[in-house]
Amino acid sequence: MECRKGCGMCCIEPSIVQPLPGMPAGKKAGEHCVNLDLSDYTCKIWGQPEYPDFCRIFKPEPEFCGSTRTEAEQILRFLESSTRPDGRSGRV
Ligand code: SF4
Ligand code: SF4
C-alpha cells in the first residue's frame, strides 16, 4: 500500500529504542518524533543523510496502517501494549 497522506501514526504511537536525530534516547509510545512535521504529518528529514535506516526499512502495510488514521492509531497502540513484557502501554 501507499503511505497515507496526513497520517504519521507510525511516528507517534510506537516506542522507538534506537536513537533518532534530535532524540538520542529514542522516543516513548504516544510521543511524536521531533522530526515529524505536525502541520502535515510528514517526516522533515525524509531523504536526508540522517534519515534513520529503521525508518527506511519500515513499509506501510494494511496490517499496521489500517484503512484510516484512526485505525492505524488503534492498531499500533494495541501492538505497542501487547509487545511490552509487562503488558502496559508505556505511553507518555
Ligand atoms: S501508519 Fe502507515 S499510512 Fe500512516 S504514516 Fe505510517 S506508514 Fe504511512
Ligand atoms: S525520523 Fe521521520 S520517519 Fe522516522 S520516526 Fe521520526 S518522523 Fe517518523
Side-chain angles (χ1 to χ4, degrees):
M1 68 175 277
E2 291 286 313
C3 181
R4 188 169 44 239
K5 286 186 173 27
C7 179
M9 274 299 158
C10 55
C11 307
I12 300 172
E13 285 303 319
S15 58
I16 296 178
V17 296
Q18 294 97 330
L20 288 154
M23 302 183 94
K27 72 172 210 65
K28 295 179 180 172
E31 178 182 28
H32 68 80
C33 175
V34 296
N35 302 296
L36 184 66
D37 186 335
L38 297 180
S39 69
D40 61 2
Y41 297 112
T42 58
C43 177
K44 293 184 276 192
I45 59 170
W46 186 86
Q48 304 295 316
E50 65 268 34
Y51 185 68
D53 285 342
F54 60 88
C55 298
R56 198 187 321 275
I57 291 165
F58 183 84
K59 299 293 180 208
E61 299 276 355
E63 183 182 358
F64 303 120
C65 306
S67 54
T68 64
R69 186 169 192 263
T70 301
E71 275 186 24
E73 180 179 27
Q74 292 167 342
I75 293 167
L76 293 171
R77 192 174 294 184
F78 172 76
L79 290 173
E80 175 69 26
S81 62
S82 61
T83 54
R84 277 175 63 98
D86 61 6
R88 299 175 63 186
S89 75
R91 292 175 59 76
V92 290

